[in-house]
């Protein structure tokens, strides 16, 4: 199972970006999918998460600006980021709790490779 993230880049403050993450491999089922970010010198933090039922949660600093969504048929999760601020600059990582076909029971935590988001002032 692999997660492939895309969509990062350089944008001016106030602009928008959409991150996407696609899962591939022998997947039996998905649980929670999420986006984390890590800025230089800071710990990785949870930005947004979404359950397989569609319930979402966001870190306070992005509420009202970011929207997480998922397409279960395509095994993808997206993060729409609007009104971007310089403090949103970080490497963004997608995360998914997945039960691979090879696993008899339970699920495993998978991470994408990270995509850089840079917001200029």
């Amino acid at each position: 199972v692999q997660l492939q993230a895309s969509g990062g880049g350089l944008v001016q403050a106030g602009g928008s970006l959409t991150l996407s993450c696609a899962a591939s491999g022998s997947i039996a089922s998905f649980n929670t999918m999420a986006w984390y970010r890590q800025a230089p010198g800071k710990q990785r933090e949870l930005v947004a998460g979404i359950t397989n039922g569609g319930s979402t949660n966001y870190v306070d600093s992005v509420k009202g600006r970011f929207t997480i969504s998922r397409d279960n048929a395509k095994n993808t999760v997206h993060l729409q980021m609007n009104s971007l601020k310089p403090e949103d600059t970080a490497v963004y990582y997608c995360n998914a709790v997945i039960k691979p076909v090879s696993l008899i029971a339970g699920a495993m935590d998978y991470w994408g490779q990270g995509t850089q988001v840079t917001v200029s002032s």
Side-chain angles (χ1 to χ4, degrees):
V1 174
Q2 290 185 328
L3 297 182
Q4 180 69 42
S6 61
L10 173 64
V11 65
Q12 288 189 332
S16 298
L17 282 174
T18 300
L19 305 183
S20 297
C21 180
S24 61
S26 298
I27 297 168
S29 63
F30 280 90
N31 295 329
T32 302
M33 304 182 81
W35 287 94
Y36 287 73
R37 66 186 178 188
Q38 187 166 19
K42 294 187 177 181
Q43 290 188 333
R44 189 174 296 190
E45 68 170 349
L46 174 64
V47 177
I50 184 167
T51 68
N52 54 5
S55 297
T56 59
N57 65 286
Y58 299 90
V59 67
D60 285 347
S61 60
V62 308
K63 286 180 180 178
R65 300 188 298 121
F66 290 11
T67 302
I68 189 170
S69 61
R70 63 190 286 168
D71 184 335
N72 291 330
K74 296 182 179 179
N75 293 344
T76 57
V77 61
H78 306 284
L79 186 67
Q80 175 67 44
M81 304 184 294
N82 298 325
S83 302
L84 282 161
K85 303 176 181 180
E87 50 264 43
D88 294 318
T89 295
V91 178
Y92 284 70
Y93 298 89
C94 63
N95 169 268
V97 178
I98 294 172
K99 181 185 179 307
V101 169
S102 60
L103 197 64
I104 296 174
M108 296 178 63
D109 213 20
Y110 291 89
W111 292 89
Q113 81 282 12
T115 184
Q116 177 70 46
V117 172
T118 303
V119 184
S120 63
S121 56

